[in-house]
Amino acid sequence: MSKENQENVEPFGAEVKKPDVEKPVDREKTCPLLLRVFCSTGRHHPMSVYVRGQTPNNELQIYTWLDATLKELTSLVKEVNADARRKGTYFDFGIVYPEPRSPVYRLREIGSTCAGRKGADDNVTLASKNFQIGDYLDIAITPPRGGGMDNMRGRPY
């Protein structure tokens, strides 16, 4: 084996790292998934609501793809929720998934966005947070506080 070929061979048992690059979804050729979304004001729904096939009764159904970003999902929620349209409204996203070894559900927070502002989690995708088809999305919507910083352009005095 030449020296050039030896450099490209991994030693036996070595773990090969895969690149962290997500493949883009061809939305013209890929069927969307049904995303079941549950919104609440101020905080996430308690996990006790997600028992024995039960869910909160304010379900929003969105057809989307695994490469959907949190900002994209924020805009879809704002289309149907008038209270969430105000600038400065925060959206805290969590994936609700069944615990594999018990009949309970768990919540894993995956990021947050803010209406009218750019944020670090805007481009986070469902796939990048290991969303599985069949999981739920629970969104805690926190409206902006009245008065305060937004009305005074950043000056608290």
Side-chain angles (χ1 to χ4, degrees):
M1 185 181 279
S2 72
K3 183 173 175 105
E4 186 178 296
N5 288 341
Q6 286 178 342
E7 290 175 7
N8 295 331
V9 175
E10 295 292 327
F12 181 73
E15 191 173 314
V16 178
K17 273 194 159 185
K18 294 181 182 176
D20 289 340
V21 179
E22 288 182 39
K23 287 184 179 177
V25 174
D26 183 350
R27 292 185 175 194
E28 292 292 320
K29 294 180 180 176
T30 304
C31 183
L33 62 99
L34 173 63
L35 181 63
R36 297 178 69 189
V37 179
F38 303 95
C39 299
S40 65
T41 304
R43 60 183 164 192
H44 292 288
H45 288 94
M47 290 300 97
S48 60
V49 177
Y50 297 97
V51 291
R52 291 189 280 281
Q54 300 296 313
T55 57
N57 43 0
N58 63 341
E59 182 174 351
L60 172 62
Q61 295 184 345
I62 298 173
Y63 286 94
T64 190
W65 294 266
L66 286 173
D67 69 342
T69 64
L70 297 187
K71 198 62 166 183
E72 183 180 350
L73 296 171
T74 298
S75 66
L76 293 171
V77 171
K78 284 170 33 179
E79 284 180 18
V80 297
N81 188 334
D83 296 335
R85 294 180 190 149
R86 291 180 52 204
K87 185 176 181 176
T89 300
Y90 280 90
F91 297 79
D92 293 310
F93 292 83
I95 295 174
V96 177
Y97 61 96
E99 182 69 35
R101 293 181 186 85
S102 63
V104 297
Y105 282 81
R106 301 277 183 223
L107 175 93
R108 184 176 70 248
E109 297 210 16
I110 61 169
S112 63
T113 62
C114 184
R117 296 187 188 142
K118 291 186 180 190
D121 294 334
D122 287 357
N123 293 320
V124 168
T125 65
L126 294 174
S128 72
K129 294 299 181 176
N130 297 323
F131 179 88
Q132 300 294 311
I133 294 174
D135 291 348
Y136 306 132
L137 199 62
D138 192 287
I139 305 174
I141 299 173
T142 307
R145 287 183 251 147
M149 301 285 267
D150 282 347
N151 293 343
M152 303 172 98
R153 299 183 189 254
R155 294 185 218 145
Y157 50 89

